[in-house]
Amino acid sequence: MTELPSRSVAVVLGTRPEIIKLAGTVRLLGDAARVIYTGQHYDPELSGVFFDEFGMHRPDVHIGIGAERRGTQIGRATAGLDELFSQDRPLAVVVQGDTNTVAAGALAANATGIPLVHVEAGLRSFDRRMPEEHNRVITDHLSDRCLAATAANRENLLAERIDDERIVITGNTIVEAVQRLMPEPEVRRETLSRFGVEPNRFVLSTFHRPENVDDPANLSAILDQLASIPLPVILPLHPRTVRRIEEFDMGTALSSLVVVDPVGYRDFLALGSEAALLISDSGGVQEEVSVYKRPLIVVRRSTERPEVLGTFAELVDPGPAIGATANDWLGDLEQLHRGLSQLPSPYGDSTAPQSTVDAIVEAVHA
Ligand code: UDP
């Protein structure tokens, strides 16, 4: 617990990965945390269940920006946060990652002159087509404390002339989240039998990035590739992907896949850690596999997490490379798993939430 006054640190979040990655910090802040939820993810299976699983109290404030265009989301959230911060001024504002919520939290903190702390600073895909890249750059440049997960993330910030005094290397808070919520082996076995699969005899897959699912050719290629894999493929469908599959009338492409609603974090960890391999366009999953040591095919044009490439992950285009890489890995799975089990995660250990709280306290007293 900190010496900070009650509800004095505004923790702004709006999506599933932000809840997962800030839960440990919110726990350590205790009574000092004021959790503000923008509602960027408004589906209960992407938000509410995660507050419950992490034992986090429900948000103190809910802004409710909903599914709008990017500019509208950022505008509404910025205006809402600006009003909240002006009425009841926090001592610091904390944001995590690269969503529209993060950009809005940064702009509102800046507009009201409140110290801003960015968790997971310094990630760069160098791909200006991704809205997330712009959210990261805006936020890092406005932040008083940039909490970099790795030394390479710090280098990215220094290359943009962000002052070293503003940068702290903390590791990534995902490591603590995975370690805290990873179910015991017995529970993992129960989870697998609930999904009708056996250890190392299935693939876990997720897709939701606009570059993949908003483009009919890419989405169709991805679904065809998943269907070609000679193991059951569990596909928890993100609401955005569901909408696109309906819009493009691609429902029949799902027939040979194990399609399920998004699952809770414990179930996702149980499945991921027992899968033969994973195939995903998620950012967080790229980090998690390095903690539970499973190989991942990243279906993206670029990644802001190069630390895992060539070891835990491989970057492929949406097309035949997905099936080819999966088949290649399945050819000698035991050896691949054995090799990965020896490798440390590049994202540090479980101390990142404590380092985050230390940096928040420092920002308040600066
Ligand atoms: N996740 C989950 N249930 C699912 C799919 C994903 O708990 O059905 C978790 C996953 O472990 C990861 C996070 O959600 O920590 C990733 O969220 P998402 O892919 O939406 O965001 P990104 O990481 O790409 O920003």
Side-chain angles (χ1 to χ4, degrees), residues 125-153:
S125 65
F126 304 102
D127 182 350
R128 286 177 52 80
R129 292 167 297 189
M130 288 181 79
E132 293 93 334
E133 183 77 351
H134 299 278
N135 292 339
R136 292 182 196 113
V137 171
I138 294 167
T139 306
D140 284 336
H141 282 264
L142 293 179
S143 290
D144 298 280
R145 287 286 180 288
C146 293
L147 309 194
T150 66
N153 297 152

PDB file of all heavy atoms in Angstrom, residues 125-153:
ATOM      1  N   SER A 125       5.856  -0.173 -33.690  1.00  0.00           N
ATOM      2  CA  SER A 125       5.796  -1.097 -34.837  1.00  0.00           C
ATOM      3  C   SER A 125       6.444  -0.449 -36.050  1.00  0.00           C
ATOM      4  O   SER A 125       6.729  -1.109 -37.034  1.00  0.00           O
ATOM      5  CB  SER A 125       4.338  -1.438 -35.161  1.00  0.00           C
ATOM      6  OG  SER A 125       3.669  -0.260 -35.592  1.00  0.00           O
ATOM      7  N   PHE A 126       6.641   0.883 -35.989  1.00  0.00           N
ATOM      8  CA  PHE A 126       7.119   1.690 -37.121  1.00  0.00           C
ATOM      9  C   PHE A 126       6.183   1.529 -38.323  1.00  0.00           C
ATOM     10  O   PHE A 126       6.601   1.667 -39.454  1.00  0.00           O
ATOM     11  CB  PHE A 126       8.580   1.348 -37.462  1.00  0.00           C
ATOM     12  CG  PHE A 126       9.483   1.519 -36.275  1.00  0.00           C
ATOM     13  CD1 PHE A 126       9.927   0.426 -35.546  1.00  0.00           C
ATOM     14  CD2 PHE A 126       9.828   2.796 -35.838  1.00  0.00           C
ATOM     15  CE1 PHE A 126      10.718   0.593 -34.410  1.00  0.00           C
ATOM     16  CE2 PHE A 126      10.624   2.961 -34.711  1.00  0.00           C
ATOM     17  CZ  PHE A 126      11.066   1.865 -33.995  1.00  0.00           C
ATOM     18  N   ASP A 127       4.933   1.221 -38.038  1.00  0.00           N
ATOM     19  CA  ASP A 127       3.922   1.032 -39.071  1.00  0.00           C
ATOM     20  C   ASP A 127       2.870   2.118 -38.875  1.00  0.00           C
ATOM     21  O   ASP A 127       1.991   2.003 -38.018  1.00  0.00           O
ATOM     22  CB  ASP A 127       3.309  -0.371 -38.918  1.00  0.00           C
ATOM     23  CG  ASP A 127       2.279  -0.665 -39.995  1.00  0.00           C
ATOM     24  OD1 ASP A 127       1.897   0.264 -40.738  1.00  0.00           O
ATOM     25  OD2 ASP A 127       1.860  -1.835 -40.093  1.00  0.00           O
ATOM     26  N   ARG A 128       2.987   3.179 -39.677  1.00  0.00           N
ATOM     27  CA  ARG A 128       2.109   4.332 -39.487  1.00  0.00           C
ATOM     28  C   ARG A 128       0.673   4.075 -39.942  1.00  0.00           C
ATOM     29  O   ARG A 128      -0.202   4.909 -39.761  1.00  0.00           O
ATOM     30  CB  ARG A 128       2.695   5.563 -40.213  1.00  0.00           C
ATOM     31  CG  ARG A 128       3.903   6.128 -39.475  1.00  0.00           C
ATOM     32  CD  ARG A 128       4.531   7.286 -40.218  1.00  0.00           C
ATOM     33  NE  ARG A 128       3.593   8.329 -40.599  1.00  0.00           N
ATOM     34  CZ  ARG A 128       3.127   9.281 -39.780  1.00  0.00           C
ATOM     35  NH1 ARG A 128       3.529   9.316 -38.531  1.00  0.00           N
ATOM     36  NH2 ARG A 128       2.278  10.176 -40.222  1.00  0.00           N
ATOM     37  N   ARG A 129       0.421   2.883 -40.529  1.00  0.00           N
ATOM     38  CA  ARG A 129      -0.949   2.558 -40.913  1.00  0.00           C
ATOM     39  C   ARG A 129      -1.773   2.113 -39.702  1.00  0.00           C
ATOM     40  O   ARG A 129      -2.982   2.018 -39.758  1.00  0.00           O
ATOM     41  CB  ARG A 129      -0.960   1.439 -41.959  1.00  0.00           C
ATOM     42  CG  ARG A 129      -0.390   1.866 -43.297  1.00  0.00           C
ATOM     43  CD  ARG A 129      -0.138   0.686 -44.186  1.00  0.00           C
ATOM     44  NE  ARG A 129       0.858  -0.218 -43.627  1.00  0.00           N
ATOM     45  CZ  ARG A 129       1.398  -1.251 -44.253  1.00  0.00           C
ATOM     46  NH1 ARG A 129       1.013  -1.529 -45.479  1.00  0.00           N
ATOM     47  NH2 ARG A 129       2.297  -2.022 -43.677  1.00  0.00           N
ATOM     48  N   MET A 130      -1.093   1.803 -38.589  1.00  0.00           N
ATOM     49  CA  MET A 130      -1.818   1.300 -37.408  1.00  0.00           C
ATOM     50  C   MET A 130      -2.214   2.451 -36.483  1.00  0.00           C
ATOM     51  O   MET A 130      -1.347   3.185 -36.003  1.00  0.00           O
ATOM     52  CB  MET A 130      -0.925   0.345 -36.605  1.00  0.00           C
ATOM     53  CG  MET A 130      -0.698  -0.988 -37.271  1.00  0.00           C
ATOM     54  SD  MET A 130       0.337  -2.018 -36.222  1.00  0.00           S
ATOM     55  CE  MET A 130      -0.852  -2.590 -35.012  1.00  0.00           C
ATOM     56  N   PRO A 131      -3.509   2.594 -36.176  1.00  0.00           N
ATOM     57  CA  PRO A 131      -3.906   3.660 -35.249  1.00  0.00           C
ATOM     58  C   PRO A 131      -3.205   3.542 -33.899  1.00  0.00           C
ATOM     59  O   PRO A 131      -2.861   4.551 -33.273  1.00  0.00           O
ATOM     60  CB  PRO A 131      -5.425   3.470 -35.093  1.00  0.00           C
ATOM     61  CG  PRO A 131      -5.782   2.208 -35.802  1.00  0.00           C
ATOM     62  CD  PRO A 131      -4.645   1.812 -36.676  1.00  0.00           C
ATOM     63  N   GLU A 132      -2.928   2.289 -33.485  1.00  0.00           N
ATOM     64  CA  GLU A 132      -2.275   2.086 -32.186  1.00  0.00           C
ATOM     65  C   GLU A 132      -0.909   2.772 -32.128  1.00  0.00           C
ATOM     66  O   GLU A 132      -0.501   3.243 -31.074  1.00  0.00           O
ATOM     67  CB  GLU A 132      -2.078   0.590 -31.890  1.00  0.00           C
ATOM     68  CG  GLU A 132      -3.345  -0.202 -31.679  1.00  0.00           C
ATOM     69  CD  GLU A 132      -3.844  -0.851 -32.965  1.00  0.00           C
ATOM     70  OE1 GLU A 132      -3.534  -0.329 -34.063  1.00  0.00           O
ATOM     71  OE2 GLU A 132      -4.556  -1.869 -32.853  1.00  0.00           O
ATOM     72  N   GLU A 133      -0.205   2.795 -33.283  1.00  0.00           N
ATOM     73  CA  GLU A 133       1.124   3.397 -33.304  1.00  0.00           C
ATOM     74  C   GLU A 133       1.016   4.897 -32.987  1.00  0.00           C
ATOM     75  O   GLU A 133       1.829   5.453 -32.247  1.00  0.00           O
ATOM     76  CB  GLU A 133       1.768   3.171 -34.686  1.00  0.00           C
ATOM     77  CG  GLU A 133       3.184   3.690 -34.814  1.00  0.00           C
ATOM     78  CD  GLU A 133       4.232   2.796 -34.147  1.00  0.00           C
ATOM     79  OE1 GLU A 133       3.889   1.846 -33.424  1.00  0.00           O
ATOM     80  OE2 GLU A 133       5.433   3.064 -34.347  1.00  0.00           O
ATOM     81  N   HIS A 134       0.007   5.534 -33.527  1.00  0.00           N
ATOM     82  CA  HIS A 134      -0.173   6.967 -33.277  1.00  0.00           C
ATOM     83  C   HIS A 134      -0.567   7.206 -31.816  1.00  0.00           C
ATOM     84  O   HIS A 134      -0.105   8.162 -31.193  1.00  0.00           O
ATOM     85  CB  HIS A 134      -1.206   7.541 -34.248  1.00  0.00           C
ATOM     86  CG  HIS A 134      -0.770   7.403 -35.666  1.00  0.00           C
ATOM     87  ND1 HIS A 134       0.093   8.291 -36.271  1.00  0.00           N
ATOM     88  CD2 HIS A 134      -1.008   6.429 -36.578  1.00  0.00           C
ATOM     89  CE1 HIS A 134       0.337   7.883 -37.508  1.00  0.00           C
ATOM     90  NE2 HIS A 134      -0.311   6.755 -37.712  1.00  0.00           N
ATOM     91  N   ASN A 135      -1.416   6.318 -31.278  1.00  0.00           N
ATOM     92  CA  ASN A 135      -1.794   6.458 -29.864  1.00  0.00           C
ATOM     93  C   ASN A 135      -0.564   6.345 -28.958  1.00  0.00           C
ATOM     94  O   ASN A 135      -0.420   7.072 -27.975  1.00  0.00           O
ATOM     95  CB  ASN A 135      -2.828   5.392 -29.472  1.00  0.00           C
ATOM     96  CG  ASN A 135      -4.175   5.606 -30.145  1.00  0.00           C
ATOM     97  OD1 ASN A 135      -4.479   6.725 -30.593  1.00  0.00           O
ATOM     98  ND2 ASN A 135      -4.983   4.561 -30.206  1.00  0.00           N
ATOM     99  N   ARG A 136       0.337   5.424 -29.300  1.00  0.00           N
ATOM    100  CA  ARG A 136       1.565   5.248 -28.484  1.00  0.00           C
ATOM    101  C   ARG A 136       2.439   6.491 -28.536  1.00  0.00           C
ATOM    102  O   ARG A 136       2.938   6.943 -27.500  1.00  0.00           O
ATOM    103  CB  ARG A 136       2.424   4.104 -29.049  1.00  0.00           C
ATOM    104  CG  ARG A 136       1.826   2.756 -28.915  1.00  0.00           C
ATOM    105  CD  ARG A 136       2.808   1.710 -29.471  1.00  0.00           C
ATOM    106  NE  ARG A 136       2.069   0.495 -29.665  1.00  0.00           N
ATOM    107  CZ  ARG A 136       1.798  -0.055 -30.848  1.00  0.00           C
ATOM    108  NH1 ARG A 136       2.261   0.451 -31.964  1.00  0.00           N
ATOM    109  NH2 ARG A 136       1.076  -1.138 -30.914  1.00  0.00           N
ATOM    110  N   VAL A 137       2.633   7.000 -29.752  1.00  0.00           N
ATOM    111  CA  VAL A 137       3.558   8.134 -29.914  1.00  0.00           C
ATOM    112  C   VAL A 137       3.017   9.356 -29.169  1.00  0.00           C
ATOM    113  O   VAL A 137       3.749  10.010 -28.401  1.00  0.00           O
ATOM    114  CB  VAL A 137       3.784   8.432 -31.418  1.00  0.00           C
ATOM    115  CG1 VAL A 137       4.558   9.730 -31.601  1.00  0.00           C
ATOM    116  CG2 VAL A 137       4.527   7.273 -32.078  1.00  0.00           C
ATOM    117  N   ILE A 138       1.726   9.652 -29.361  1.00  0.00           N
ATOM    118  CA  ILE A 138       1.115  10.804 -28.678  1.00  0.00           C
ATOM    119  C   ILE A 138       1.324  10.669 -27.168  1.00  0.00           C
ATOM    120  O   ILE A 138       1.750  11.592 -26.482  1.00  0.00           O
ATOM    121  CB  ILE A 138      -0.422  10.848 -28.931  1.00  0.00           C
ATOM    122  CG1 ILE A 138      -0.733  11.106 -30.394  1.00  0.00           C
ATOM    123  CG2 ILE A 138      -1.119  11.857 -28.023  1.00  0.00           C
ATOM    124  CD1 ILE A 138      -2.206  10.840 -30.740  1.00  0.00           C
ATOM    125  N   THR A 139       1.006   9.483 -26.665  1.00  0.00           N
ATOM    126  CA  THR A 139       1.002   9.275 -25.215  1.00  0.00           C
ATOM    127  C   THR A 139       2.416   9.363 -24.638  1.00  0.00           C
ATOM    128  O   THR A 139       2.644  10.013 -23.609  1.00  0.00           O
ATOM    129  CB  THR A 139       0.339   7.922 -24.877  1.00  0.00           C
ATOM    130  OG1 THR A 139      -0.943   7.907 -25.500  1.00  0.00           O
ATOM    131  CG2 THR A 139       0.190   7.725 -23.384  1.00  0.00           C
ATOM    132  N   ASP A 140       3.368   8.726 -25.306  1.00  0.00           N
ATOM    133  CA  ASP A 140       4.743   8.768 -24.788  1.00  0.00           C
ATOM    134  C   ASP A 140       5.275  10.201 -24.724  1.00  0.00           C
ATOM    135  O   ASP A 140       5.956  10.580 -23.778  1.00  0.00           O
ATOM    136  CB  ASP A 140       5.678   7.911 -25.653  1.00  0.00           C
ATOM    137  CG  ASP A 140       5.490   6.427 -25.380  1.00  0.00           C
ATOM    138  OD1 ASP A 140       5.019   6.088 -24.273  1.00  0.00           O
ATOM    139  OD2 ASP A 140       5.799   5.609 -26.263  1.00  0.00           O
ATOM    140  N   HIS A 141       4.930  10.976 -25.754  1.00  0.00           N
ATOM    141  CA  HIS A 141       5.462  12.345 -25.774  1.00  0.00           C
ATOM    142  C   HIS A 141       4.805  13.238 -24.736  1.00  0.00           C
ATOM    143  O   HIS A 141       5.400  14.229 -24.312  1.00  0.00           O
ATOM    144  CB  HIS A 141       5.387  12.919 -27.198  1.00  0.00           C
ATOM    145  CG  HIS A 141       6.489  12.377 -28.056  1.00  0.00           C
ATOM    146  ND1 HIS A 141       7.673  13.038 -28.274  1.00  0.00           N
ATOM    147  CD2 HIS A 141       6.609  11.178 -28.688  1.00  0.00           C
ATOM    148  CE1 HIS A 141       8.463  12.282 -29.025  1.00  0.00           C
ATOM    149  NE2 HIS A 141       7.842  11.152 -29.282  1.00  0.00           N
ATOM    150  N   LEU A 142       3.606  12.891 -24.305  1.00  0.00           N
ATOM    151  CA  LEU A 142       2.934  13.703 -23.280  1.00  0.00           C
ATOM    152  C   LEU A 142       3.235  13.210 -21.857  1.00  0.00           C
ATOM    153  O   LEU A 142       2.931  13.904 -20.891  1.00  0.00           O
ATOM    154  CB  LEU A 142       1.406  13.692 -23.506  1.00  0.00           C
ATOM    155  CG  LEU A 142       0.904  14.387 -24.783  1.00  0.00           C
ATOM    156  CD1 LEU A 142      -0.618  14.272 -24.875  1.00  0.00           C
ATOM    157  CD2 LEU A 142       1.327  15.853 -24.816  1.00  0.00           C
ATOM    158  N   SER A 143       3.824  12.021 -21.744  1.00  0.00           N
ATOM    159  CA  SER A 143       3.959  11.407 -20.407  1.00  0.00           C
ATOM    160  C   SER A 143       5.094  11.999 -19.576  1.00  0.00           C
ATOM    161  O   SER A 143       6.163  12.315 -20.104  1.00  0.00           O
ATOM    162  CB  SER A 143       4.189   9.903 -20.536  1.00  0.00           C
ATOM    163  OG  SER A 143       3.009   9.292 -20.987  1.00  0.00           O
ATOM    164  N   ASP A 144       4.858  12.114 -18.274  1.00  0.00           N
ATOM    165  CA  ASP A 144       5.899  12.543 -17.339  1.00  0.00           C
ATOM    166  C   ASP A 144       6.754  11.351 -16.922  1.00  0.00           C
ATOM    167  O   ASP A 144       7.920  11.504 -16.570  1.00  0.00           O
ATOM    168  CB  ASP A 144       5.244  13.185 -16.113  1.00  0.00           C
ATOM    169  CG  ASP A 144       4.477  14.412 -16.539  1.00  0.00           C
ATOM    170  OD1 ASP A 144       5.112  15.454 -16.734  1.00  0.00           O
ATOM    171  OD2 ASP A 144       3.250  14.313 -16.753  1.00  0.00           O
ATOM    172  N   ARG A 145       6.146  10.155 -16.906  1.00  0.00           N
ATOM    173  CA  ARG A 145       6.888   8.925 -16.648  1.00  0.00           C
ATOM    174  C   ARG A 145       6.512   7.918 -17.721  1.00  0.00           C
ATOM    175  O   ARG A 145       5.348   7.549 -17.852  1.00  0.00           O
ATOM    176  CB  ARG A 145       6.519   8.320 -15.273  1.00  0.00           C
ATOM    177  CG  ARG A 145       7.070   9.070 -14.080  1.00  0.00           C
ATOM    178  CD  ARG A 145       8.587   8.822 -13.931  1.00  0.00           C
ATOM    179  NE  ARG A 145       9.130   9.528 -12.784  1.00  0.00           N
ATOM    180  CZ  ARG A 145       9.300  10.842 -12.699  1.00  0.00           C
ATOM    181  NH1 ARG A 145       8.962  11.617 -13.694  1.00  0.00           N
ATOM    182  NH2 ARG A 145       9.807  11.396 -11.611  1.00  0.00           N
ATOM    183  N   CYS A 146       7.526   7.502 -18.517  1.00  0.00           N
ATOM    184  CA  CYS A 146       7.333   6.471 -19.533  1.00  0.00           C
ATOM    185  C   CYS A 146       7.854   5.162 -18.949  1.00  0.00           C
ATOM    186  O   CYS A 146       9.068   5.020 -18.761  1.00  0.00           O
ATOM    187  CB  CYS A 146       8.110   6.816 -20.799  1.00  0.00           C
ATOM    188  SG  CYS A 146       7.494   8.269 -21.650  1.00  0.00           S
ATOM    189  N   LEU A 147       6.964   4.215 -18.650  1.00  0.00           N
ATOM    190  CA  LEU A 147       7.410   2.964 -18.053  1.00  0.00           C
ATOM    191  C   LEU A 147       7.640   1.943 -19.173  1.00  0.00           C
ATOM    192  O   LEU A 147       6.695   1.410 -19.755  1.00  0.00           O
ATOM    193  CB  LEU A 147       6.382   2.452 -17.042  1.00  0.00           C
ATOM    194  CG  LEU A 147       5.934   3.467 -15.982  1.00  0.00           C
ATOM    195  CD1 LEU A 147       5.198   2.765 -14.844  1.00  0.00           C
ATOM    196  CD2 LEU A 147       7.097   4.275 -15.423  1.00  0.00           C
ATOM    197  N   ALA A 148       8.910   1.729 -19.491  1.00  0.00           N
ATOM    198  CA  ALA A 148       9.286   0.844 -20.594  1.00  0.00           C
ATOM    199  C   ALA A 148       9.404  -0.581 -20.072  1.00  0.00           C
ATOM    200  O   ALA A 148       9.973  -0.810 -19.010  1.00  0.00           O
ATOM    201  CB  ALA A 148      10.617   1.312 -21.176  1.00  0.00           C
ATOM    202  N   ALA A 149       8.882  -1.535 -20.849  1.00  0.00           N
ATOM    203  CA  ALA A 149       8.965  -2.932 -20.415  1.00  0.00           C
ATOM    204  C   ALA A 149      10.380  -3.481 -20.605  1.00  0.00           C
ATOM    205  O   ALA A 149      10.846  -4.294 -19.809  1.00  0.00           O
ATOM    206  CB  ALA A 149       7.962  -3.773 -21.190  1.00  0.00           C
ATOM    207  N   THR A 150      11.053  -3.044 -21.660  1.00  0.00           N
ATOM    208  CA  THR A 150      12.369  -3.614 -21.980  1.00  0.00           C
ATOM    209  C   THR A 150      13.369  -2.507 -22.324  1.00  0.00           C
ATOM    210  O   THR A 150      12.981  -1.370 -22.597  1.00  0.00           O
ATOM    211  CB  THR A 150      12.275  -4.547 -23.222  1.00  0.00           C
ATOM    212  OG1 THR A 150      11.936  -3.733 -24.352  1.00  0.00           O
ATOM    213  CG2 THR A 150      11.232  -5.635 -23.054  1.00  0.00           C
ATOM    214  N   ALA A 151      14.639  -2.893 -22.382  1.00  0.00           N
ATOM    215  CA  ALA A 151      15.686  -1.929 -22.742  1.00  0.00           C
ATOM    216  C   ALA A 151      15.472  -1.432 -24.171  1.00  0.00           C
ATOM    217  O   ALA A 151      15.732  -0.268 -24.489  1.00  0.00           O
ATOM    218  CB  ALA A 151      17.056  -2.591 -22.615  1.00  0.00           C
ATOM    219  N   ALA A 152      14.962  -2.307 -25.060  1.00  0.00           N
ATOM    220  CA  ALA A 152      14.718  -1.898 -26.451  1.00  0.00           C
ATOM    221  C   ALA A 152      13.608  -0.839 -26.498  1.00  0.00           C
ATOM    222  O   ALA A 152      13.665   0.092 -27.313  1.00  0.00           O
ATOM    223  CB  ALA A 152      14.333  -3.109 -27.295  1.00  0.00           C
ATOM    224  N   ASN A 153      12.607  -0.979 -25.634  1.00  0.00           N
ATOM    225  CA  ASN A 153      11.539   0.031 -25.585  1.00  0.00           C
ATOM    226  C   ASN A 153      12.112   1.378 -25.146  1.00  0.00           C
ATOM    227  O   ASN A 153      11.741   2.429 -25.651  1.00  0.00           O
ATOM    228  CB  ASN A 153      10.414  -0.395 -24.627  1.00  0.00           C
ATOM    229  CG  ASN A 153       9.693  -1.653 -25.049  1.00  0.00           C
ATOM    230  OD1 ASN A 153       9.162  -2.380 -24.221  1.00  0.00           O
ATOM    231  ND2 ASN A 153       9.681  -1.944 -26.335  1.00  0.00           N
TER     232      ASN A 153
END
